[in-house]
Amino acid sequence: MYNICFTSMPILAYSLLEQHICIEVLLDNATLYREIAKNAVLRWGTFLYWTVLGVFHGLLFFFGVRFLFSNPALQDNGQVFGNWSYGTIVFTVLVFTVTLKLALDTRHWTWINHFVIWGSLAFYVFFSFFWGGIIWPFLRQQRLYFVFANMLSSVSAWLVIILLILLSLLPEILLVVFRKPRGPHARQKKMVQSSVGGHQSPRSSARPLLMRTFSDESNTVI
């Protein structure tokens, strides 16, 4: 349910607003659509990359928090966390990692993207405090009562949450830093630089994706 409750709006905004290639380049070079014809982008390499990345995140979250719980005194008062605190830490790392991973993949930022991404993280924190701060009469056992607030009172929990999020995003950060541009993204850069004698504005890619481009160009042959 976490995908629906806490991470659905960012991916929805991403699917509607993301621009990998600006509109002007696509209109001038319709052959770029061949890159996605018949699901050509959905290759085994991409599928395996996301699968391995998901397995890596799952192992990192579980065993990372398990390593933290090997410390017998996680709180300042010497008490230890229970199973529900264990799950809450893993869940918190999961929600933040999924949302921040999407933020790293976003190339075309609008105010809507900022609102839903950072708003989703804020909503998760608010909901966790709200749900764990009230004794709900319709629940037979109040297992999550004050768990989230008590978890954040531990310096060790803060440390492991931040550390695991950084470690889970490290492969993506390294790919962004060291990967050479290729495919349609590299061609787009060359086309923009060579089009109209270099007078095309680099801000043209910031135009909304939702604007329709099938009016005068509807007879374009791909």
Side-chain angles (χ1 to χ4, degrees):
M1 290 293 292
Y2 85 93
N3 272 321
I4 299 176
C5 299
F6 302 115
T7 62
S8 59
M9 294 305 297
I11 191 63
L12 178 61
Y14 179 88
S15 64
L16 295 175
L17 303 174
E18 178 63 4
Q19 294 186 36
H20 292 280
I21 302 176
C22 66
I23 296 175
E24 288 78 5
V25 174
L26 288 174
L27 293 178
D28 295 336
N29 303 272
T31 56
L32 292 175
Y33 282 100
R34 294 176 181 172
E35 296 286 339
I36 59 173
K38 298 180 180 180
N39 289 330
V41 179
L42 188 58
R43 299 183 177 92
W44 276 105
T46 305
F47 174 78
L48 292 177
Y49 165 76
W50 284 99
T51 303
V52 172
L53 187 64
V55 174
F56 167 72
H57 284 167
L59 295 175
L60 180 65
F61 298 163
F62 180 83
F63 288 103
V65 180
R66 184 179 178 86
F67 177 77
L68 167 70
F69 272 63
S70 63
N71 183 1
L74 297 176
Q75 303 186 69
D76 297 336
N77 55 9
Q79 295 181 351
V80 297
F81 285 148
N83 291 335
W84 289 94
S85 297
Y86 185 106
T88 302
I89 295 177
V90 174
F91 196 81
T92 301
V93 176
L94 171 65
V95 172
F96 272 78
T97 299
V98 168
T99 307
L100 295 178
K101 176 66 171 65
L102 182 63
L104 288 176
D105 289 339
T106 302
R107 296 177 175 85
H108 179 67
W109 284 89
T110 66
W111 69 268
I112 299 178
N113 297 95
H114 284 287
F115 178 78
V116 296
I117 287 178
W118 313 124
S120 296
L121 294 178
F123 173 74
Y124 168 73
V125 175
F126 170 79
F127 177 83
S128 300
F129 275 112
F130 176 76
W131 182 261
I134 298 176
I135 297 179
W136 301 98
F138 55 86
L139 295 179
R140 297 179 58 183
Q141 295 180 339
Q142 308 293 329
R143 294 175 175 175
L144 285 176
Y145 178 70
F146 213 64
V147 169
F148 191 78
N150 191 39
M151 176 194 74
L152 295 184
S153 65
S154 171
V155 178
S156 300
W158 275 97
L159 178 62
V160 75
I161 290 174
I162 296 175
L163 182 61
L164 289 179
I165 292 175
L166 292 177
L167 289 177
S168 62
L169 297 177
L170 184 61
E172 179 69 16
I173 296 175
L174 293 178
L175 284 177
V176 172
V177 173
F178 295 105
R179 180 174 53 191
K180 294 181 179 180
R182 57 184 178 180
H185 308 297
R187 291 199 298 271
Q188 175 195 4
K189 184 177 181 180
K190 295 180 180 179
M191 293 172 191
V192 172
Q193 292 174 351
S194 60
S195 61
V196 199
H199 295 293
Q200 184 175 0
S201 172
R203 294 177 60 85
S204 59
S205 61
R207 295 171 57 185
L209 182 62
L210 293 179
M211 65 175 294
R212 299 303 179 185
T213 59
F214 302 103
S215 55
D216 298 334
E217 295 79 10
S218 58
N219 57 350
T220 302
V221 179
I222 301 178

